[in-house]
């Protein structure tokens, strides 16, 4: 059967929703950083170790990498299709008045998130996997120290906070958009999903935003 | 003499008899036959789709950019059918009688009976295609009542019945396009009929995008090109509606009938300015709950809501107590004109009457009225910026539907063999006045159920006929005439646009051959139209080139309207009686009701074109009434 | 009142177009937008210039022929309105008004503001119908359809095919148009039989015509003269996904 852009959209929706699910897990893990430093160090390092050892987790992590790549690649393909579909440009364009800014700029928001992810992976994932880290009291790699020290830098905080804002807007449209692509049309449930999507997006965004600020202000003082 | 070819038998059996004895064509032979269908409205689309389903090769033409845009979409109110779902005494006979009477006994019994008979199947067909007719909570089809009848037989899809039926027919057409049985030619305008050996064998069409003049040959040509009410310029019709296809067929020998029978719709938005291009129709269904009135006193300048109840003249309820606000269109329109002419009109140009919902809102509640007419009230607000829940709507009569058109026999074939006319383009079923919700019916019935029987009946005789290609000299000759006219238009270096002539003609016809006519006004009109035509031939100014050029399109159409307008006046002048939409002021009772003359005028006038500037020749088809008794059409 | 117009003028499909300025005086606020263009065209004829070509027909908001970008918005500043229903009272004296054709790769410009929307016809041809030939229909009341179902089908069937949804979409997607047809037909019992085949064909045709995909910005619903709901896009996707899963 012929591939259609709607099939590509389905890939975007499924991978997007998987990433949404992952964000919850990630946030729950990160919330451990808010505990008192002594407990937080052990907890967090133990948790990081857990994530790198388990085979089930390993499979999920590969799905995760694949999702990120597929989400980005298909976004690129679709964007190319769209640019071609537009034909010539309007000389005077006020179409923006009838839709939200973030819904029209998912590509830009996504690109910001992608750049962020590269930095994020390099600083933690790569260091954890391939770098030499000191061990903590329990013998787990001490990722905690790395995290705490990196969030002492103001520019790093700004980078993270801006990325989270981009993520927030991306989620705000992405979550409900995915549900529509998957075929949710019943008005009542569409509304429920929309409200849920809002709550989810706000929670995730503010949750992630809180942690670097907490560390910055608590550990610098 | 012209012969309507009505089949033998009892009225109720005629159509069955016809179908039983009509000639058939073997499926293998059908694909050897080509049929051109001009127009893609309800009649054109349904006819093209149905013939394609049977296996013929169809070429479908329309001037719009898509078949779906034909003006059938604008019909709001509904479509009649004698289903008797309301159990209120309806029957095929009753519907037949209502239609004959509504047409003021100026239509053929056999045609009208067939219309009523086929109405049943049409509803079935439309529902099967997915037309979302209104339904009751139990899931069965709903009906409403319409002007001129006492039963509820109108099926409707909110205020968009025409659009929804049209979508059904359009989709059926598109289905045949994908099956390869129909080829559509959109943005094409038919500019001439091509005849070979006295038979219709093709058309000359202009590609409105490239300007190319194309020849198309076929074994039969169907004109389903709608009505010519746009001759009045200001009308409820679409800007592109025209008479060109049927007029050019008329000039090739097809007779025209009932030419001056033009229905003025009573519930349209009035003219409010000189640059206005359109009088928008507000659905007649509004008359179910709206009450029509004008101030009793002429020249009353008070705010409408300040005029107390006892100083309002509910003239329809007063004059026609039985039917009241639901009186037939011709009567309602004329009554409005009578009041407006008496100086009681309202609105900025004093050319309107009030349609008042305050009583209905009081009795049924605002929500109920909103539910029934919400979209119409919104439309009114959009166009006028006035909230009609709070103050009365202003309405006035406007040119709407042409009962007249090409004369056709019972087969829907014109006097040119192989040339058929369907829907509003023919004259056949509505007599001198059409009942509401009967036009959608007629166009659909012509296209789905009648022409697909009668065209094969004709074509069966054409199987052995010589194959005509577009190389035939007749095509070259027709093409030459078309080219010459276009070149002449482009080369005229006059002063006035086509619209200027169109507007002048329209105003002239509104005044002298409109809702009411007199011998004097018509004779004057003929002289004036002749002069206008002469001026048009010299003073027209067209800019642009032969490619996309709406002015060039208009010029051709206006040229035909001018000739048609003259024929309208001859037709109205010759008919010395008042019947239906044709109201001659000389023939009325003391209280202003129409006086029909069955003794001298119980016939169909069929006019023959005799050449430019020459008086047309009248032929008569006597109307024979075997079943109904001619009576005075009273709605009192 | 007086308006400064900037109008897109283009000779034909191949040529490049440009914005041309006109000053129009003596406009009454009761005029419709198209009547204002009539007025300008009448004056252009007097000056011997080629008129501005634009599609229009019924001028009562139902045929779907008219449609242009007015001040950067499909069918002008009002929502849920066709160009012919837009009246000059929506503009201010002395205002500059930009007029362009609906743009999309699938809607090539023929001349000035006239565009080719035959892509919509092709989408319908690919399956936007119920295969019921004349003569096959059963008695119409033999299949009861719930009042709400008919009304919902009507809401979708109300589409007039004007193309504003495509024009206002940043991706030039025809999703609202296509989904409205799919919804209309699938809601009715008569249309359910062909549902799976229909949705797959129509969605593929949408791509083949060169329309973009839907990214759910929902601008189309705002500009649609019939205010057709974007939830129909959800239903189209549902039908499509279902068809993909159940396909043999």
């Amino acid at each position: 059967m012929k591939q259609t852009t709607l099939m590509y959209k389905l890939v975007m929706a499924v991978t997007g929703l998987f990433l949404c699910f992952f964000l919850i897990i990630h946030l729950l893990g990160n919330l451990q950083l808010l505990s008192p430093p002594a407990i937080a160090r052990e907890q967090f390092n133990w948790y990081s170790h857990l994530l790198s050892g388990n085979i089930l987790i390993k499979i999920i992590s590969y799905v995760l990498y694949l999702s990120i790549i597929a989400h980005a690649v298909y976004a690129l393909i679709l964007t190319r299709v769209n640019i071609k579909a537009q034909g010539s440009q309007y000389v005077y364009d006020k179409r923006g008045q009838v839709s939200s800014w973030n819904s029209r700029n998912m590509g830009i928001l996504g690109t910001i998130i992608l750049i962020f992810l590269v930095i994020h992976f390099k600083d933690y994932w790569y260091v954890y996997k391939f770098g030499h880290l000191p061990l903590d009291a329990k013998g787990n790699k001490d990722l905690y120290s790395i995290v705490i020290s990196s969030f002492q830098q103001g520019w790093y905080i700004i980078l993270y906070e801006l990325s989270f804002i981009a993520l927030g807007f991306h989620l705000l449209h992405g979550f409900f958009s995915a549900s529509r692509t998957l075929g949710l049309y019943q008005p009542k449930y569409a509304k429920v999903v929309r409200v849920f999507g809002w709550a989810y997006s706000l929670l995730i965004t503010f949750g992630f935003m809180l942690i670097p600020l907490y560390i910055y202000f608590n550990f610098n003082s | 003499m012209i012969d309507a070819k009505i089949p033998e038998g009892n009225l109720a059996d005629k159509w069955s008899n016809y179908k039983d004895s009509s000639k058939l064509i073997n499926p293998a032979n059908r694909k050897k036959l080509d049929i051109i269908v001009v127009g893609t409205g309800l009649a054109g689309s349904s006819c093209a789709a149905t013939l394609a389903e049977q296996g013929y090769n169809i070429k479908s033409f329309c001037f719009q950019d898509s078949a779906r845009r034909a003006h059938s979409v604008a019909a709001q109110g509904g479509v009649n059918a004698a289903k008797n779902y309301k159990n209120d005494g309806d029957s095929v006979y009753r519907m037949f009688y209502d239609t004959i009477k509504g047409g003021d006994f100026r239509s053929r019994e056999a045609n009208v009976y067939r219309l009523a008979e086929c109405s049943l199947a049409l509803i079935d067909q439309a529902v099967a295609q997915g037309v979302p007719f209104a339904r009751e909570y139990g899931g069965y089809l709903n009906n409403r009542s319409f002007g001129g009848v006492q039963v509820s037989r109108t099926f409707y899809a909110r205020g968009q019945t025409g659009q929804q039926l049209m979508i059904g027919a359009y989709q059926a057409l598109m289905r045949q396009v994908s099956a390869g049985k129909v080829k559509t030619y959109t943005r094409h305008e038919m500019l001439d009929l091509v005849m070979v050996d006295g038979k219709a064998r093709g058309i000359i069409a202009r590609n409105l995008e490239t300007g190319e003049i194309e020849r198309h040959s076929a074994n039969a040509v169907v004109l389903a090109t709608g009505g010519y009410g746009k001759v009045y310029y200001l009308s409820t019709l679409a800007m592109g509606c025209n008479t060109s296809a049927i007029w050019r067929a008329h000039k090739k020998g097809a007779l025209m009938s009932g030419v001056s029978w033009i229905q003025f719709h009573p519930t349209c938005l009035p003219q409010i300015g000189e640059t206005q291009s359109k009088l928008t129709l507000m659905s007649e269904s509004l008359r179910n709950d709206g009450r029509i009135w004008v101030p009793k006193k002429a020249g009353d300048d008070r705010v409408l809501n300040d005029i107390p109840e006892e100083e309002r003249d509910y003239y329809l309820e007063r004059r026609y107590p039985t039917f009241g606000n639901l009186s037939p269109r011709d009567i309602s329109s004329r009554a409005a004109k009578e009041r407006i002419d008496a100086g009681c009109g309202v609105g900025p140009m004093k050319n309107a009457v009030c349609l008042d919902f305050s009583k209905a809102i009081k009795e049924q509640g605002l929500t109920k009225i909103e539910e029934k007419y919400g979209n119409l009230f919104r439309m009114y607000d959009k166009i006028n910026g006035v909230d009609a829940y709070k103050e009365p709507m202003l309405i006035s009569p406007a040119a709407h539907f042409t009962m007249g058109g090409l004369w056709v026999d019972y087969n829907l074939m014109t006097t040119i063999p192989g040339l058929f006319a369907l829907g509003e383009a023919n004259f056949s079923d509505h007599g001198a006045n059409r009942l509401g919700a009967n036009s959608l019916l007629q166009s659909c019935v012509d296209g789905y159920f009648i022409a697909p029987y009668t065209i094969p009946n004709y074509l069966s005789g054409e199987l052995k006929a010589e194959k005509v290609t577009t190389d035939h000299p007749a095509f070259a000759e027709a093409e030459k005439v078309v080219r010459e006219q276009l070149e002449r238009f482009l080369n005229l270096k006059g002063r006035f646009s086509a619209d200027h002539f169109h507007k002048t003609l329209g105003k002239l016809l509104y005044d002298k051959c409109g809702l009411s006519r007199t011998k004097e006004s018509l004779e004057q009109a003929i002289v004036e139209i002749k002069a206008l035509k002469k001026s048009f031939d010299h003073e027209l100014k067209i800019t642009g080139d032969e490619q996309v050029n709406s002015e060039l399109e208009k010029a051709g159409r206006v040229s035909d309207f001018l000739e048609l307008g003259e024929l309208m006046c001859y037709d109205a002048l010759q008919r010395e009686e008042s019947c239906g939409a044709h109201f001659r002021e000389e023939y009325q009772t003391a209280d202003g009701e129409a006086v029909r003359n069955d003794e001298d005028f119980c016939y169909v006038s069929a006019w023959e074109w005799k050449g430019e500037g020459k008086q047309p020749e009248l032929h008569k088809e006597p109307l024979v009434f075997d079943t109904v008794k001619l009576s005075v059409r009273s709605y009192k | 009142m007086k308006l400064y117009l900037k109008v897109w003028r283009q000779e034909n499909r191949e040529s490049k177009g440009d914005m041309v300025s006109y000053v129009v005086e003596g406009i009454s606020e009761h005029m419709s937008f198209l009547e204002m263009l009539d007025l300008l065209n009448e004056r252009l004829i007097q000056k011997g210039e080629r008129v501005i070509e634009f599609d229009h027909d019924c001028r009562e908001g139902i045929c779907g022929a008219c449609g242009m970008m007015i001040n950067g918005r499909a069918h002008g500043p009002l929502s849920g309105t066709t160009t012919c229903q837009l009246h000059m009272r929506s503009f201010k004296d002395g205002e500059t008004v930009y007029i362009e054709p609906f743009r999309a790769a699938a809607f090539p410009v023929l001349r000035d503001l006239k565009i080719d929307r035959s892509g919509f016809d092709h989408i319908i041809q690919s399956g936007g119908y119920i295969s019921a030939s004349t003569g096959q229909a059963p008695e119409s009341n033999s299949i009861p359809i719930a009042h709400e179902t008919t009304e919902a089908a009507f809401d979708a069937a109300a589409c007039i095919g004007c193309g504003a949804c495509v024009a206002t979409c940043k991706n030039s997607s025809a999703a609202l148009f296509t989904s409205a047809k799919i919804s209309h037909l699938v809601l009715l019992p008569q249309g359910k039989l062909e549902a799976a085949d229909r949705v797959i064909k129509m969605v593929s045709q949408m791509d083949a015509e060169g329309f973009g995909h839907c990214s759910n910005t929902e601008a189309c619903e705002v500009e649609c003269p019939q205010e057709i709901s974007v939830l129909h896009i959800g239903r189209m996707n549902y039908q499509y996904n279902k068809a993909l899963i159940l396909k043999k």
Side-chain angles (χ1 to χ4, degrees):
Chain A
M1 210 182 116
K2 214 178 148 282
Q3 297 274 304
T4 62
T5 49
L6 191 47
M7 288 181 188
Y8 299 164
K9 279 290 286 182
L10 279 171
V11 175
M12 296 289 292
V14 172
T15 53
L17 285 180
F18 178 76
L19 294 172
C20 284
F21 168 73
F22 169 75
L23 283 176
I24 300 175
I25 307 292
H26 194 341
L27 180 64
L28 286 177
N30 286 14
L31 285 177
Q32 296 171 96
L33 293 168
L34 299 181
S35 315
I39 307 170
R41 181 186 301 271
E42 274 194 15
Q43 274 260 216
F44 188 74
N45 289 344
W46 170 81
Y47 173 77
S48 308
H49 179 73
L50 183 78
L51 288 190
S52 61
N54 193 312
I55 177 76
L56 189 73
I57 305 273
K58 230 181 186 122
I59 295 170
I60 292 180
S61 68
Y62 283 120
V63 176
L64 176 71
Y65 306 146
L66 211 65
S67 292
I68 294 172
I69 294 167
H71 200 78
V73 168
Y74 277 88
L76 206 66
I77 298 174
L78 283 169
T79 306
R80 279 181 54 121
V81 171
N82 289 340
I83 289 171
K84 210 173 138 214
Q86 285 166 32
S88 56
Q89 296 295 311
Y90 287 108
V91 176
Y92 188 84
D93 192 348
K94 289 283 174 204
R95 290 180 295 169
Q97 290 173 354
V98 292
S99 58
S100 60
W101 181 87
N102 59 321
S103 73
R104 279 177 280 119
N105 292 288
M106 290 294 276
I108 293 175
L109 294 169
T111 311
I112 296 174
I113 295 167
L114 191 66
I115 294 168
F116 164 76
L117 277 180
V118 171
I119 299 170
H120 187 62
F121 267 68
K122 178 191 135 298
D123 287 355
Y124 301 115
W125 179 84
Y126 181 82
V127 171
Y128 191 85
K129 284 238 146 166
F130 306 106
H132 296 284
L133 286 181
L135 300 181
D136 70 359
K138 287 254 171 85
N140 290 326
K141 288 185 179 177
D142 191 6
L143 187 64
Y144 179 81
S145 305
I146 308 267
V147 171
I148 299 297
S149 64
S150 54
F151 285 123
Q152 310 289 320
Q153 310 156 69
W155 68 270
Y156 206 71
I157 299 280
I158 292 169
L159 174 82
Y160 263 63
E161 295 300 317
L162 286 178
S163 304
F164 289 145
I165 290 171
L167 175 72
F169 279 110
H170 197 80
L171 289 176
L172 218 47
H173 181 69
F175 190 85
F176 117 86
S177 180
S179 76
R180 167 103 19 101
T181 304
L182 290 174
L184 185 73
Y185 64 84
Q186 213 276 0
K188 196 168 69 186
Y189 298 112
K191 204 168 173 190
V192 169
V193 167
R194 204 154 207 175
V195 171
F196 177 81
W198 267 82
Y200 164 85
S201 308
L202 291 178
L203 219 66
I204 291 285
T205 313
F206 288 116
F208 275 114
M209 282 174 81
L210 175 70
I211 295 162
L213 291 174
Y214 172 84
I215 294 172
Y216 183 76
F217 288 111
N218 266 6
F219 289 79
N220 262 3
S221 55
Chain B
M1 244 342 275
I2 47 176
D3 174 12
K5 302 202 179 90
I6 307 229
E8 294 301 311
N10 292 326
L11 183 61
D13 301 329
K14 283 181 193 293
W15 181 231
S16 309
N17 290 348
Y18 180 93
K19 288 192 284 186
D20 289 345
S21 59
S22 72
K23 288 180 221 113
L24 301 176
I25 297 175
N26 160 341
N29 280 336
R30 293 179 203 163
K31 51 178 180 273
K32 295 178 197 157
L33 294 165
D34 303 328
I35 303 168
I36 286 172
V37 181
V38 186
T40 57
L42 274 173
S45 287
S46 59
C47 173
T50 304
L51 287 169
E53 286 160 11
Q54 291 176 350
Y56 300 95
N57 306 312
I58 311 296
K59 287 180 170 185
S60 157
F61 292 80
C62 65
F63 70 79
Q64 296 93 341
D65 72 320
S66 165
R68 66 177 296 158
R69 307 217 195 275
H71 200 55
S72 302
V73 296
Q76 297 169 359
V79 54
N80 287 333
K83 286 278 197 186
N84 194 27
Y85 285 160
K86 285 281 181 191
N87 196 28
D88 57 358
D90 201 7
S91 66
V92 169
Y93 182 83
R94 180 89 63 177
M95 183 167 165
F96 150 77
Y97 184 78
D98 284 342
T99 305
I100 281 270
K101 181 190 170 198
D104 220 353
F105 305 95
R106 288 293 175 265
S107 45
R108 282 184 208 133
E109 279 189 339
N111 283 57
V112 175
Y113 196 89
R114 178 175 64 180
L115 179 74
E117 191 181 335
C118 294
S119 69
L120 307 174
L122 170 66
I123 302 303
D124 300 343
Q125 175 63 24
V127 167
Q129 287 173 342
V131 173
F133 284 130
R135 291 186 181 253
E136 292 172 344
Y137 283 94
Y140 296 108
L141 289 155
N142 202 356
N143 294 110
R144 61 181 167 205
S145 57
F146 236 68
V149 297
Q150 287 171 308
V151 293
S152 281
R153 66 161 73 101
T154 306
F155 293 78
Y156 63 101
R158 285 192 213 157
Q160 278 196 13
T161 317
Q163 170 81 291
Q164 294 306 320
L165 282 170
M166 184 63 229
I167 287 172
Y170 160 73
Q171 287 171 187
L173 184 70
M174 290 299 110
R175 175 170 163 242
Q176 294 307 313
V177 171
S178 72
K181 293 305 294 177
V182 173
K183 177 143 179 42
T184 50
Y185 294 84
T186 56
R187 292 196 195 270
H188 276 68
E189 182 163 34
M190 167 181 160
L191 290 183
D192 210 355
L193 178 74
V194 180
M195 286 170 58
V196 176
D197 300 331
K199 289 177 181 169
R201 294 309 300 266
I203 62 166
I204 304 293
R206 178 167 170 263
N207 180 329
L208 299 181
E209 186 198 340
T210 61
E212 229 169 296
I213 307 293
E214 299 171 2
R215 304 174 182 185
H216 296 273
S217 67
N219 299 86
V221 176
V222 179
L223 301 184
T225 52
Y228 49 80
K230 190 71 193 166
V231 68
Y232 289 93
Y233 189 74
L234 283 174
S235 75
T236 65
L237 281 93
M239 301 306 283
C241 289
N242 64 75
T243 189
S244 291
I246 63 170
W247 188 255
R248 290 175 193 208
H250 171 63
K251 287 169 88 170
K252 283 274 163 106
L255 304 186
M256 290 273 284
S257 286
V259 195
S260 68
W261 292 346
I262 288 165
Q263 181 171 75
F264 284 72
H265 198 292
T267 52
C268 303
L269 300 182
Q271 186 186 5
I272 47 173
E274 284 308 315
T275 51
Q276 199 156 332
S277 57
K278 161 97 188 178
L279 300 176
T280 304
L281 174 78
M282 299 300 285
S283 171
E284 194 170 23
S285 63
L286 289 169
R287 289 203 279 150
N288 277 314
D289 289 302
R291 296 177 75 203
I292 293 171
W293 64 272
V294 291
K296 278 190 176 153
K297 212 167 61 201
D300 196 330
D301 278 330
R302 281 176 289 180
V303 174
L304 293 171
N305 276 339
D306 291 349
I307 300 176
E309 202 55 34
E310 59 278 7
E311 289 178 47
R312 298 177 177 188
D313 177 14
Y314 295 91
Y315 56 88
L316 282 176
E317 295 170 21
R318 168 170 61 80
R319 284 177 67 177
Y320 309 101
T322 315
F323 282 72
N325 294 302
L326 285 174
S327 297
R329 290 179 179 173
D330 54 338
I331 289 180
S332 307
S333 291
R334 212 149 47 228
K337 180 176 157 61
E338 191 271 331
R339 283 293 85 198
I340 292 167
D341 288 348
C344 295
V346 294
M349 288 172 82
K350 297 280 174 212
N351 59 354
V353 299
C354 301
L355 180 62
D356 198 324
F357 287 86
S358 53
K359 186 166 175 236
I361 291 172
K362 214 175 283 164
E363 284 171 1
Q364 302 172 35
L366 188 65
T367 11
K368 191 82 197 156
I369 298 298
E370 260 172 0
E371 191 183 303
K372 282 196 207 172
Y373 311 111
N375 57 335
L376 296 167
F377 278 67
R378 263 198 303 283
M379 179 162 132
Y380 188 81
D381 193 7
K382 225 175 240 179
I383 297 171
N384 297 292
V386 172
D387 181 359
Y389 292 110
K390 298 208 176 96
E391 49 185 293
M393 283 186 186
L394 299 189
I395 54 163
S396 79
H400 180 54
F401 184 89
T402 44
M403 277 71 73
L406 287 175
W407 182 90
V408 289
D409 63 13
Y410 191 74
N411 296 293
L412 303 183
M413 189 156 86
T414 65
T415 43
I416 297 175
L419 180 71
F420 293 80
L422 271 54
E424 198 177 341
N426 72 29
F427 90 105
S428 69
D429 297 347
H430 306 296
N433 173 53
R434 175 176 66 77
L435 286 186
N438 262 358
S439 69
L440 288 179
L441 176 69
Q442 186 228 340
S443 47
C444 289
V445 162
D446 282 2
Y448 284 119
F449 302 114
I450 300 175
Y453 283 92
T454 62
I455 293 175
N457 184 52
Y458 166 79
L459 287 177
S460 64
E462 292 299 297
L463 267 171
K464 295 201 182 70
E466 210 181 319
K467 184 109 183 136
V468 173
T469 68
T470 51
D471 298 329
H472 193 280
F475 278 91
E477 178 56 29
E479 185 184 322
K480 194 170 143 253
V481 174
V482 166
R483 279 187 191 281
E484 279 169 2
Q485 191 195 36
L486 292 169
E487 270 160 37
R488 193 164 51 79
F489 287 148
L490 283 169
N491 292 331
L492 272 176
K493 294 278 171 270
R495 291 182 294 156
F496 302 113
S497 67
D499 273 349
H500 163 84
F501 292 100
H502 197 169
K503 286 178 184 174
T504 313
L505 173 70
K507 175 132 190 19
L508 198 159
L509 287 173
Y510 254 109
D511 293 344
K512 302 194 162 93
C513 187
L515 266 164
S516 68
R517 306 93 193 252
T518 62
K519 181 168 187 284
E520 210 182 10
S521 74
L522 291 165
E523 282 169 347
Q524 248 178 31
I526 291 172
V527 175
E528 287 175 31
I529 293 172
K530 276 185 200 295
L532 190 63
K533 178 79 170 67
K534 194 168 248 168
S535 154
F536 176 85
D537 287 340
H538 296 99
E539 299 277 13
L540 177 70
K541 182 169 185 175
I542 300 285
T543 56
D545 54 24
E546 70 286 346
Q547 288 177 26
V548 179
N549 190 342
S550 47
E551 289 303 311
L552 188 57
E553 293 163 30
K554 280 184 203 165
R557 293 171 192 164
V558 173
S559 163
D560 295 330
F561 276 139
L562 283 161
E563 291 172 355
L564 170 86
E566 201 180 320
L567 180 62
M568 279 167 60
C569 296
Y570 280 119
D571 183 54
L573 184 63
Q574 188 274 334
R575 189 165 282 273
E576 295 177 328
E577 63 164 349
S578 293
C579 61
H582 171 65
F583 188 77
R584 282 280 297 266
E585 286 174 25
E586 303 94 316
Y587 307 99
Q588 60 176 316
T589 62
D591 56 352
E593 300 304 325
V595 174
R596 210 175 61 222
N597 179 350
D598 292 330
E599 197 125 312
D600 301 318
F601 291 96
C602 195
Y603 58 76
V604 173
S605 321
W607 296 93
E608 185 184 346
W609 172 259
K610 295 307 258 183
E612 206 157 322
K614 300 215 175 83
Q615 193 159 332
E617 185 186 336
L618 176 67
H619 302 268
K620 294 175 185 173
E621 178 207 334
L623 287 167
V624 185
F625 292 91
D626 297 322
T627 310
V628 302
K629 216 173 110 255
L630 272 66
S631 61
V632 173
R633 183 165 155 259
S634 168
Y635 290 90
K636 288 183 180 269
Chain C
M1 72 199 201
K2 177 178 178 182
L3 287 184
Y4 299 89
L5 302 187
K6 297 199 181 300
V7 186
W8 184 262
R9 303 300 306 260
Q10 179 174 337
E11 276 300 306
N12 52 43
R13 285 177 194 259
E14 284 76 35
S15 63
K16 271 184 65 142
D18 208 357
M19 297 296 268
V20 177
S21 301
Y22 300 94
V23 183
V24 190
E25 284 177 86
I27 299 168
S28 134
E29 60 164 17
H30 297 302
M31 281 182 185
S32 72
F33 195 82
L34 298 183
E35 283 163 1
M36 185 273 294
L37 286 181
D38 288 345
L39 185 71
L40 171 58
N41 276 345
E42 183 67 41
R43 292 176 187 165
L44 289 180
I45 294 172
Q46 293 311 324
K47 284 203 277 180
E49 290 175 29
R50 179 168 78 67
V51 298
I52 297 165
E53 295 291 343
F54 58 95
D55 271 317
H56 64 106
D57 204 21
C58 79
R59 297 207 176 184
E60 57 179 278
I62 195 69
C63 76
C66 66
M68 44 190 88
M69 291 302 267
I70 300 164
N71 278 345
R73 291 270 308 269
H75 292 307
L78 304 181
S79 299
T81 307
T82 57
T83 303
C84 62
Q85 287 177 310
L86 176 67
H87 283 70
M88 297 316 291
R89 67 180 85 93
S90 297
F91 297 87
K92 287 192 298 285
D93 188 26
E95 198 177 330
T96 301
V97 180
Y98 293 82
I99 308 171
E100 290 179 74
F102 282 173
R103 292 188 196 277
F107 285 170
V109 174
L110 302 183
R111 177 169 271 191
D112 301 340
L113 307 171
K114 275 192 177 178
I115 53 166
D116 178 358
R117 280 168 290 199
S118 54
F120 275 6
D121 286 338
H122 302 153
I123 291 175
I124 299 297
Q125 283 160 18
S126 71
Y129 45 76
I130 292 172
S131 300
S133 296
T134 308
Q136 293 177 326
E139 153 59 40
S140 51
N141 254 352
S142 60
I143 308 171
I145 305 173
H147 174 80
E148 298 76 19
T149 310
T150 295
E151 294 300 303
F154 183 100
D155 286 339
C159 167
I160 57 175
C162 66
C165 48
V166 174
T168 197
C169 177
K170 76 178 193 72
N171 305 338
S172 304
S173 169
L176 192 64
F177 171 80
T178 310
S179 67
K181 186 44 62 197
I182 285 166
S183 253
H184 162 210
L185 298 177
V186 81
L187 277 163
L188 299 168
Q190 292 87 344
K192 282 200 171 41
L193 297 175
E194 302 168 273
D197 199 33
R198 173 186 307 126
V199 71
I200 289 190
K201 284 182 175 161
M202 288 179 76
V203 166
S204 307
Q205 191 63 37
M206 203 161 52
D207 278 1
E209 294 298 325
F211 293 106
H213 81 271
C214 172
S215 50
N216 300 313
T217 68
E218 305 192 336
C220 50
E221 183 183 283
V222 181
E223 299 294 29
C224 174
Q226 294 290 333
E227 294 166 341
I228 288 171
S229 165
V230 285
L231 288 175
H232 293 301
I233 299 176
R235 189 187 270 105
M236 170 176 78
N237 296 343
Y238 171 78
Q239 290 294 331
Y240 186 77
N241 301 343
K242 187 169 133 191
L244 280 188
I245 292 166
L246 299 181
K247 200 170 160 58
K248 290 190 184 108

